[in-house]
Amino acid sequence: MAIPVEKLKWMYETMVKIRIYEETMVSVYAEGKTPVFNIGAGPVPGEMHLAAGQEPVAAGVCAHLRPDDTVTAPHRPHHHAIAKGVDLRRMTAEIFGKETGLGKGKGGHMHLFDPAVKFSCGGIIAAGVPHAVGAALAAKMQGKDAVAVAFIGEGAANAGAFHEALNLAALWKLPVVVVIEDNRYGISVPKEASTAVASNADRGSAYGIPAVFVKDNDVLATYEAAGEAVARARRGEGPSLVEIETYRYLGHFQGDPEVYRDKGEVPALRDRDPILRLRQHLLQQGLVSEADLADLEARARAAVEDAYQFARESAYPRPEAALEDLFEPAPADVQLAQ
Amino acid sequence: MSIGTKRMLTGNKAMAEAIRQEMERDPNVFVMGEDVGVYGGIFGSTEGLFERFGPERVRDTPISETGFIGAAIGAAAEGMRPVVELMFVDFFGVCMDQIYNHMAKIHYMSGGSVKLPMVLMTAVGGGYNDAAQHSQTLYATFAHVPGLKVVAPSTPYDLKGMMISAIRDDNPVLFMFHKALQGLGWMDPLDAAIGPVPEEPYTVPLDKAKVVREGSDVTIVGIQMMTHAALAAAERLATDGVEAEVIDLRSLAPLDKTTILESVRKTHRLLVVDEDYLSYGMTAEVAAVVAEEALYDLDAPIRRLAVPDVPIPYSRPLEQFVLPNAGKVYEAAKQLVAR
Ligand SMILES: Cc1ncc(C[n+]2csc(CCOP(=O)(O)OP(=O)(O)O)c2C)c(N)n1
């Protein structure tokens, strides 16, 4: 299958945007946390899970999605959010805890909600899988051809919610694709110490659904595998499972001492960087020029810089706003104040 | 580290030492949980145990809380003494059936014939912008169900002594430790997170509150971080001539009513402070006990201070607004003594 050049360029730009976004976050997150690291200090406090290295998963899958398709993401959500087209300014403002953020500063980096493009994420492992199944159920009941994609890590594929949701999706033949990002680790625990099978693709047969394993963080192979799964869902033929081997360049969270892996591991992974590999492919095939790529890179960088600037310049919410948004409409008689 | 003859330890090292000493004493004691191995626990509660005992007795688990907490129940019923970790208390939702319907009830439903000598340890607390799914304390959620002992120590000394008691107890104990009191390098460094801890094993009872500051004008009841907030507030109150008595509850279940009632009968005023949600919480329980048994000893209505009934928000000004702290305790106590 020849991938349309426009799609290739979109994937390249998306991957570059994600990388720049995450690398910028590395330094922004460190602000106020040096010389003494304190997780609650600086303009971006709290836990921070970044996805540098994992761009092919988000770009290769979301290249097949429309704004009315649903995506649920886990605690490491920026790459999925960017590839799904979440408002970058409001997402960044949310991560800075500003009132212009997607959740007016109430959610933070693990809890981003952008209903306009049907994106959500959360901090409880595997919880998004049943949500995607429900979105697929809604699409089916409403007679729409929208699909839902749940992204989770390979560690999450050992949680009950994943298995229960897969069975439901298969039983009701729902238009959902479950995408597992195998970045080898669930925090400190390597896949072989957490998962009884080498590949989660082996688990598809337990639910009678097609499942594939995509090797080596390859965006083109990911694009193809995801394309088949999404098309199958859109045709009403039911769910699929796609596991993608990918790499996590950074710690589980920023500040992770990474005692569980070899110091040489990440440099070796970076030598096979998926963005550079796509770049080379595009040039070697003569699909784009250096100048084209420079344009895409510049556009990606500008979008990221604009989003960070917007976030920095936005105001913090009023403290009392903490008491708002619990119910719709806000109750008059419930005592919320201290 | 040592000051004079007293050895100082952080909260996490005190806990890990308790578990190590019990593992050395009793081969039935073993540890399970996510990242408890090489990583030593996300909040350091199992630091050094993997190196000492290896992967058979310090088991990293998959992210399968229902599976491994349920397995701890099954192993405990066979006479093992598992110490199992739920990484953040907020993740209780994925395994609550095992905790609420099994761990808490099997001893009773079996007419006392099945014992579950197990410890479920879990990290609680916010204040560092980890938002709604990683910042709760949920004290009341667990103290509400009959059949669980629920403890929440606030000093390294108690973390060690109560952990040893919990492991030796023949009942299921939910052991809640506060992230900010672990003394971890990546959290706000607090004086309260480090303290004197004897080297030899010792026990601290699981059913006794502690008067941590004596006073005559008002009783402030707190637990974990709120004990420390109350102590700081009490120092400020003292400069205004108000002597607050501060009680560290230490155990939520069973609740040491005697210590609370004795104090209230002396001070005639009660302020209860909690890092959990206000409604149906620990503050309500303590207030109800005092209203039932010492209402006529009170000179003023009971005052409660807790997280208003909203999830913990992410953004710093929002989170600081909802969490009680020393300043808010001070204000509330001032108002209370003025009545
Ligand atoms: C129910 C639940 N259990 C445990 C955690 C703590 N936790 C957060 S991320 C994580 C590891 C997840 O690994 P994986 O699914 O492979 O995703 P990755 O972090 O590698 O992206 C764990 C154990 C959680 N958030 N929710």
Side-chain angles (χ1 to χ4, degrees), chain B residues 232-301:
Chain B
E235 292 310 311
R236 240 182 104 188
L237 288 164
T239 63
D240 299 344
V242 175
E243 289 303 328
E245 178 143 306
V246 177
I247 296 178
D248 179 4
L249 219 45
R250 299 201 290 194
S251 295
L252 291 144
L255 181 66
D256 178 3
K257 297 179 185 180
T258 311
T259 301
I260 300 167
L261 290 169
E262 269 172 14
S263 177
V264 169
R265 290 194 172 115
K266 183 171 81 173
T267 65
H268 310 293
R269 284 183 164 80
L270 174 65
L271 167 63
V272 195
V273 194
D274 194 5
E275 198 188 326
D276 198 0
Y277 306 119
L278 178 68
S279 294
Y280 304 95
M282 179 273 269
T283 58
E285 185 62 30
V286 171
V289 165
V290 171
E292 279 179 338
E293 302 194 31
L295 186 62
Y296 298 120
D297 292 298
L298 290 174
D299 287 345

Side-chain angles (χ1 to χ4, degrees), chain A residues 228-249:
Chain A
E228 273 175 46
V230 170
R232 194 170 169 275
R234 234 188 266 294
R235 287 195 304 267
E237 292 167 19
S240 316
L241 184 60
V242 181
E243 183 166 45
I244 300 159
E245 183 182 34
T246 186
Y247 317 137
R248 189 188 83 204
Y249 285 172

Side-chain angles (χ1 to χ4, degrees), chain A residues 138-157:
Chain A
K140 189 170 175 171
M141 291 176 78
Q142 292 165 356
K144 295 176 180 161
D145 73 342
V147 305
V149 175
F151 288 98
I152 56 167
E154 88 296 334

Side-chain angles (χ1 to χ4, degrees), chain B residues 6-25:
Chain B
K6 288 214 172 122
R7 191 181 58 135
M8 304 293 277
L9 284 189
T10 55
N12 85 298
K13 289 195 162 61
M15 266 179 88
E17 181 168 277
I19 301 170
R20 175 173 62 74
Q21 290 176 342
E22 288 307 289
M23 289 179 79
E24 281 163 355
R25 199 178 67 88

Side-chain angles (χ1 to χ4, degrees), chain A residues 42 47 95 97 123 158 188 256 336, chain B residues 35 39 130 133 308 314-316:
Chain A
E47 279 178 79
I95 296 170
N158 298 307
S188 70
D256 179 356
L336 290 174
Chain B
D35 304 278
Y39 217 56
D130 221 1
Q133 298 176 338
Y314 162 70
S315 184
R316 191 175 292 124

Side-chain angles (χ1 to χ4, degrees), chain A residues 54 75-76 123-125 153-156 183 185-187 248 252, chain B residues 34-35 63 65 87 91 94 134:
Chain A
Q54 300 184 197
H75 57 289
R76 192 182 308 286
I124 306 296
I125 291 300
E154 88 296 334
N183 64 6
Y185 299 98
I187 309 188
R248 189 188 83 204
H252 169 72
Chain B
E34 290 155 20
D35 304 278
I63 309 170
E65 288 87 354
M87 188 186 288
F91 308 158
V94 301
H134 288 75

